[in-house]
Amino acid sequence: MSALVWTAVGSLAAWLWLLLGQGFFWRTDLRLPPRGEPETWPFVCVVVPARDEAAVLPESLPSLLAQEYPGRAEVFLVDDGSSDGTGELARELGRRHGGLPLTVGSPGEPPAGWTGKLWAVRHGMGLARARAPEYLLLTDADIAHAPDSLRELVASAEAGGFDLVSQMARLRVESVWERLVVPAFVYFFSQLYPFRWIAVQGSRTAAAAGGCVLLRATAAERARIPDAVRQSVIDDVAMARAVKDSGGHIWLGLAERVDSVRPYPRLHDLWRMVSRSAYAQLRHSPLVLAGTVAGLALVYLVPPVALVAGLVTGAPVVSLAGGLAWLIMTGTYLPMLRHYRQPLPLAPLLPVTALLYLFMTVDSAVQHYRGRGAAWKGRTYARPDTASEQR
């Protein structure tokens, strides 16, 4: 058999394994676990790290202040060195909308060894701990919550005995590039971290979605959150791993009423979002990068290429294997497009999106070795092996 035949068959075998052996990652029916009404609603503190978020706060912060939660709850927004008036705008929104008590604080510049976001989270958690809450809701400044979001999260954690309950917020999909890239981002994430495996105690799979994480306060102390993950650029996954490794029970699923209001209208915006952390995801390893590029090519690029090459060269085995692999790929992507209410004809274009992600990942490595590290909102996080200093 020729190398082309082996490659096409190998791609088909990879897709058969992904279809059946990777925790049914492609299914999108995993929502909040069954929940009831606790006898006593626990006290919750909401911590919101915010850096230059004045553009999105008018949509997100009022949704937190308006939470219809039967128990006691407070909101702590941490202004992480913003230059656009984020802190003052938050105070004004609190005065205007009322609702849950709001405290706005500022931690100052983070010391060496801390990412800015996690330093802000640490400050917010410190303010919250003075109130002795039973739960902490860690949510990003661009996340808008339905009025019953906090109630549903707490009810699920209490009913299921979870130490961490996280929801993957529905990201914005309005521009052409958002439609092409965003659903695939969640699809790829769930492929790396199958949601069904995350909730299995004793499994090695752990992940969370940083935009919406409900964390039991005792579990945070046991796992030393956020100090234990202070250098992590991908802080949500690191946090979930720390909680699970310390004996915690965690859960992650897709959200229905938790939405990101942050726009990514241009490809450049989405490129920065992905490339700033892609190489960190690969542990800054050239070997893992090479394997990832080869894997992306085999799984996502070979099927359409094999189909066309087989038809052109008259190699039916190649075209059949490539066509079947592409068909499985397309079929597994359809549920995610339905979840995002996107046109289903976008599904066969997944190889194009995968090629974009391949370039983004390589670019992330290039920026890393040029000394630019993971850049976000005016901060650059250096390599972990150089003390993760911020410049």
Side-chain angles (χ1 to χ4, degrees), residues 103-166:
T103 299
V104 178
S106 179
E109 280 299 304
W114 282 84
T115 68
K117 178 182 176 181
L118 286 171
W119 182 246
V121 168
R122 186 180 192 273
H123 182 75
M125 290 177 64
L127 295 174
R129 283 191 177 118
R131 309 285 207 276
E134 295 171 71
Y135 284 95
L136 298 158
L137 174 61
L138 310 180
T139 184
D140 288 344
D142 66 308
I143 302 298
H145 293 256
D148 62 348
S149 174
L150 180 58
R151 178 181 186 137
E152 294 289 287
L153 284 164
V154 172
S156 294
E158 288 285 283
F162 294 106
D163 296 293
L164 183 153
V165 174
S166 180

Side-chain angles (χ1 to χ4, degrees), residues 38 56 193 227 342 366 383:
V56 296
Y193 305 102
D227 295 58
Q342 295 305 299
V366 170
R383 299 172 59 173

Side-chain angles (χ1 to χ4, degrees), residues 221-289:
E221 293 178 7
R222 186 171 62 244
R224 297 178 50 248
I225 302 296
D227 295 58
V229 298
R230 61 186 179 275
Q231 297 182 357
S232 301
V233 175
I234 310 175
D235 52 89
D236 43 11
V237 174
M239 183 184 304
R241 167 56 59 196
V243 172
K244 195 166 190 177
D245 284 349
S246 65
H249 192 192
I250 69 176
W251 184 94
L252 171 63
L254 295 173
E256 294 178 310
R257 296 182 304 282
V258 178
D259 301 296
S260 172
V261 299
R262 190 185 306 284
Y264 294 98
R266 303 170 300 167
L267 177 59
H268 173 71
D269 303 315
L270 290 158
W271 194 290
R272 284 199 313 138
M273 178 192 75
V274 174
S275 65
R276 72 185 179 95
S277 61
Y279 199 44
Q281 177 71 52
L282 304 181
R283 302 186 299 278
H284 303 105
S285 167
L287 185 62
V288 177
L289 173 65

Side-chain angles (χ1 to χ4, degrees), residues 349-375:
L349 298 180
L350 188 56
V352 176
T353 307
L355 182 61
L356 285 174
Y357 274 88
L358 187 154
F359 289 148
M360 293 174 191
T361 302
V362 172
D363 180 60
S364 179
V366 170
Q367 299 306 318
H368 175 78
Y369 288 112
R370 284 181 176 176
R372 298 178 185 174

Side-chain angles (χ1 to χ4, degrees), residues 42-48 72-76 124-125 127-138 150 213-215:
F43 175 32
V44 183
C45 285
V46 182
V47 176
V48 187
R72 182 184 169 197
E74 295 186 35
V75 179
F76 296 84
M125 290 177 64
L127 295 174
R129 283 191 177 118
R131 309 285 207 276
E134 295 171 71
Y135 284 95
L136 298 158
L137 174 61
L138 310 180
L150 180 58
V213 177
L214 182 73
L215 180 61

